[in-house]
Amino acid sequence: MKFDDFLHTINDFGRYQKLRYIFICLTYMLPPIMVYTWSFTAAKPTFRCRLSENDIEFNSNSSFLFNQSQPDETYCTANMKISVKECQRCYRKTISDRGTAQIQACKDFVFDRTYYQYTLVEEWLMVCDRTIYRSIVQNIFFVGYMVGSIFFGILADKYGRRPIMSVCIVLMVLTGFVCSFFPQKQVFGFWPITELVGPKNKFLTAISVKYFFAIGQLVLVAFAYFIREWRRLSWALSIFTTPFIFFHFILPESARWMMSKRHYIKAEKLLRHIAITNKRPFDKQAFEQLKNEQEKSTLDQSHHMGILGLFQTKIMFIISMNLFFQWFVQNLVFYGVSQNTGSWGFNPYLSFTMSALVEILSCIVLHPLLNRVGRKLPYFIAAICFAVITLIIIPIQNIIIKNSEKQRILTFILNVLLKFFAAGSYNIIYIYANELFPTRIRNTGMGVCSMIARIGAIVGTTSNDMLSRVWINLPSVLYGILSLIAALSVLILPETLNKNLPQTIEDTEQMGLVCIPIFGTKRESKMEEEQCNKKEHICLQKTNALKSTSEADQNSNQIIKEK
């Protein structure tokens, strides 16, 4: 008996699971707060060169003098490798004692305080040539995200989900307070929701939790709107996350994990409690069968495969490399768009709120669509639409009057559409990859995808900071080209709707690829056949040995009787 089969006997999505699921969903509000806090604490306000020590107001009478001190467009185009706008706000024209004009880099700046009172960018002057430092700090965050996912994932497999989740929340709260004094932060991993429910409800819980990820963004923007100084904002968010520490006493350990670690007494106690809460009988005989099945699975090490299993056959190699690329692109696109709401042309708090609401809308549309149309077609449409919109933005920037109300509105609408399709493809690829990797290497495959995804997030963040200095639309063009390639590449992969999850590499191969026919290469089945033949040979040897022993005993008894 499988664990899911036994879970069904005590109701795999009853009152017990639903109550705990609510608390788990609440914890999903924390990751977006940690990820997107940077959008406000390190927001880049509009700025210009400081002309004198008394020049402290952005919209002061000195703006006229500033315009006079700007390098002209011709000079910037001929001598600078950055955009004209970046050139004119990062360099100033001065007149020497001899009356000759000189162009010098600005060393101090005045920031617009319309939306932000004080940010990390202003404190460290992370603008112009120092923009790289803003990217470095954010990239360190995503490197920590990647390392933390691997490190805490290993610890969770070894010591259990519950204690590791609690430790991560405590670390997150503590580092949040530390961030109020020193600009550094951590991020925690995710609670495995699907281990509480049966296979029938796994898709429902995986999609539903995305709503809380977006709700976490709404919580963040509410804090950021009322607290516009980055240190006090970090302090307030840390206080908000403190009560989540007590979830340790509410959420149980994963019964599935306890069974995998052969903690049968603890697992039985928890499963009995679930059965009582769900008002279902506890089948002791079925639980014993589950134990026996787990013992056999533990003793049989032949199903454990390493990372090489992802590249064992030609079809598996193509699927794995394709999914790695898809995860890289979607994380690059998603975080690149999500962390750039400040450039949408409107109030940054309104833009960020719209971004979160659009993400919720994307989940609402995906929820029924994926179970009716499938995974492949919606993903392709989302990725191709994203690519097309990035190309539409360019003529809008050039044809419509610059900085006009019409341009701002159209740009805002297109940015909303970009976020809608980016969120859609981002959410689909997680479900799609989970259904393409066979069971034997699913965790390994998803782990590698997660690592590559963080690299995509790093590239996206760096692109926003650095490429936009060269040309404001360059990051969007990069995202569009990569999204187009991803959309075309996904056409190779098979559809997974209404198909059983592949258990072996051979099962995945049987799904086939659009461009490669199945040649009947059954490497996996041959290996299994050889193993079975080997086991049968061993069993036959043992049987013959027992027969020989039995015959010898009979002969001895016969001799004794004759004597």
Side-chain angles (χ1 to χ4, degrees):
M1 172 175 283
K2 303 296 183 183
F3 184 85
D4 288 328
D5 297 328
F6 179 82
L7 197 60
H8 181 69
T9 65
I10 58 175
N11 195 343
D12 54 13
F13 198 53
R15 179 183 176 186
Y16 182 91
Q17 288 91 339
K18 290 175 181 177
L19 181 61
R20 270 68 184 177
Y21 177 68
I22 292 173
F23 285 104
I24 292 173
C25 285
L26 292 176
T27 65
Y28 266 73
M29 296 192 303
L30 301 184
I33 290 176
M34 294 295 102
V35 172
Y36 295 121
T37 296
W38 182 255
S39 300
F40 297 101
T41 58
K44 184 189 290 185
T46 304
F47 64 93
R48 62 173 175 81
C49 284
R50 187 188 297 274
L51 302 179
S52 64
E53 293 183 1
N54 297 326
D55 184 16
I56 58 175
E57 294 292 335
F58 183 83
N59 295 318
S60 65
N61 296 329
S62 60
S63 58
F64 174 76
L65 296 176
F66 170 71
N67 292 333
Q68 294 296 317
S69 68
Q70 282 185 326
D72 56 65
E73 186 173 339
T74 304
Y75 175 87
C76 291
T77 304
N79 297 281
M80 297 292 180
K81 295 181 180 180
I82 54 179
S83 65
V84 174
K85 179 182 178 181
E86 188 74 2
C87 169
Q88 290 181 336
R89 67 181 183 175
C90 293
Y91 291 84
R92 58 178 297 192
K93 181 168 57 177
T94 59
I95 305 299
S96 67
D97 296 336
R98 296 179 180 180
T100 57
Q102 295 179 337
I103 303 299
Q104 297 178 339
C106 299
K107 296 182 179 180
D108 203 359
F109 303 88
V110 178
F111 293 87
D112 184 3
R113 302 193 188 280
T114 303
Y115 300 116
Y116 308 103
Q117 181 181 345
Y118 192 63
T119 73
L120 197 61
V121 167
E122 181 177 353
E123 181 170 314
W124 280 10
L125 294 180
M126 294 189 292
V127 295
C128 298
D129 291 339
R130 291 175 59 84
T131 300
I132 186 64
Y133 294 112
R134 184 176 185 270
S135 299
I136 289 174
V137 174
Q138 179 69 336
N139 290 341
I140 289 174
F141 171 86
F142 279 113
V143 170
Y145 204 143
M146 177 174 64
V147 174
S149 298
I150 301 170
F151 178 70
F152 287 119
I154 295 173
L155 292 181
D157 284 339
K158 185 174 183 179
Y159 299 107
R161 279 64 167 141
R162 183 173 176 239
I164 300 305
M165 186 195 73
S166 301
V167 168
C168 289
I169 292 179
V170 170
L171 288 175
M172 184 180 62
V173 172
L174 292 177
T175 52
F177 284 118
V178 171
C179 182
S180 302
F181 303 98
F182 305 100
Q184 52 190 331
K185 51 173 82 73
Q186 303 270 348
V187 72
F188 79 106
F190 294 94
W191 177 268
I193 292 177
T194 53
E195 295 193 5
L196 280 175
V197 301
K200 183 180 178 181
N201 295 289
K202 285 184 178 180
F203 174 77
L204 171 66
T205 55
I207 282 291
S208 298
V209 79
K210 299 296 183 180
Y211 295 109
F212 286 85
F213 190 89
I215 291 172
Q217 297 175 48
L218 295 177
V219 172
L220 170 62
V221 74
F223 274 90
Y225 181 80
F226 292 103
I227 307 173
R228 304 195 179 190
E229 195 274 326
W230 76 271
R231 292 186 188 276
R232 288 190 288 115
L233 176 60
S234 299
W235 182 270
L237 290 172
S238 297
I239 294 175
F240 172 78
T241 57
T242 301
F244 287 86
I245 296 174
F246 298 98
F247 280 25
H248 174 84
F249 305 102
I250 299 174
L251 296 175
E253 181 55 84
S254 167
R256 194 186 300 266
W257 175 84
M258 288 190 286
M259 291 296 297
S260 69
K261 294 298 182 180
R262 303 166 77 179
H263 299 164
Y264 299 130
I265 296 177
K266 293 180 180 179
E268 180 179 357
K269 182 179 179 181
L270 175 58
L271 292 171
R272 282 185 179 276
H273 180 59
I274 294 175
I276 293 172
T277 306
N278 292 342
K279 298 181 179 179
R280 291 288 185 89
F282 182 85
D283 191 337
K284 178 66 176 177
Q285 184 176 359
F287 182 76
E288 291 299 324
Q289 292 178 2
L290 177 63
K291 283 174 57 178
N292 294 334
E293 184 73 23
Q294 180 61 40
E295 287 293 332
K296 292 179 181 178
S297 177
T298 304
L299 293 174
D300 183 15
Q301 299 297 324
S302 63
H303 67 283
H304 292 297
M305 305 181 70
I307 194 172
L308 294 179
L310 296 169
F311 315 105
Q312 184 171 333
T313 65
K314 183 178 182 180
I315 293 178
M316 197 66 242
F317 173 83
I318 293 174
I319 290 177
S320 297
M321 295 303 295
N322 199 323
L323 288 176
F324 296 159
F325 176 70
Q326 301 295 341
W327 276 65
F328 171 82
V329 172
Q330 293 312 320
N331 274 263
L332 182 150
V333 166
F334 181 78
Y335 285 107
V337 171
S338 299
Q339 293 184 331
N340 199 36
T341 54
S343 63
W344 282 19
F346 282 83
N347 183 313
Y349 301 98
L350 173 63
S351 298
F352 192 88
T353 301
M354 286 296 298
S355 174
L357 293 176
V358 167
E359 198 167 327
I360 293 175
L361 178 62
S362 177
C363 291
I364 294 174
V365 174
L366 284 179
H367 203 140
L369 192 64
L370 293 183
N371 274 337
R372 295 179 183 178
V373 179
R375 282 63 161 144
K376 183 176 174 180
L377 182 59
Y379 179 84
F380 171 79
I381 293 174
I384 204 75
C385 286
F386 181 93
V388 171
I389 293 173
T390 57
L391 299 178
I392 294 176
I393 291 179
I394 299 175
I396 288 178
Q397 295 285 347
N398 296 324
I399 297 174
I400 301 177
I401 300 175
K402 188 176 181 181
N403 296 325
S404 65
E405 189 68 17
K406 186 177 180 180
Q407 186 194 54
R408 291 176 64 220
I409 293 174
L410 284 175
T411 302
F412 181 81
I413 293 173
L414 291 176
N415 277 313
V416 167
L417 291 175
L418 285 176
K419 179 57 185 286
F420 177 84
F421 291 118
S425 55
Y426 176 82
N427 290 328
I428 294 172
I429 195 60
Y430 178 85
I431 298 171
Y432 196 23
N434 206 42
E435 295 173 344
L436 281 173
F437 285 122
T439 300
R440 293 186 176 184
I441 54 175
R442 184 169 296 127
N443 287 339
T444 302
M446 295 299 284
V448 176
C449 282
S450 181
M451 287 180 59
I452 295 175
R454 305 306 162 221
I455 299 175
I458 291 172
V459 175
T461 300
T462 306
S463 299
N464 281 340
D465 287 338
M466 304 307 298
L467 297 185
S468 59
R469 297 189 67 216
V470 180
W471 181 35
I472 190 66
N473 293 320
L474 189 53
S476 296
V477 172
L478 173 65
Y479 302 158
I481 293 173
L482 289 176
S483 186
L484 177 62
I485 297 173
L488 297 176
S489 300
V490 82
L491 295 177
I492 300 174
L493 301 177
E495 178 56 69
T496 58
L497 179 65
N498 297 327
K499 292 184 180 180
N500 293 327
L501 287 176
Q503 301 297 314
T504 64
I505 292 177
E506 183 187 11
D507 292 339
T508 300
E509 285 189 323
Q510 291 302 316
M511 291 182 177
L513 296 173
V514 172
C515 63
I516 299 178
I518 301 174
F519 294 104
T521 56
K522 298 184 178 179
R523 191 176 304 179
E524 181 72 14
S525 60
K526 285 181 179 179
M527 289 172 61
E528 291 179 355
E529 186 178 351
E530 289 176 2
Q531 290 172 354
C532 289
N533 290 337
K534 193 183 233 182
K535 289 180 181 179
E536 289 177 2
H537 180 66
I538 293 172
C539 291
L540 185 61
Q541 285 182 334
K542 288 183 178 179
T543 304
N544 291 336
L546 290 172
K547 278 186 179 180
S548 300
T549 304
S550 177
E551 288 176 0
D553 291 341
Q554 289 178 358
N555 291 335
S556 299
N557 292 334
Q558 184 67 27
I559 293 172
I560 292 171
K561 285 181 180 179
E562 289 176 356
K563 286 183 178 180

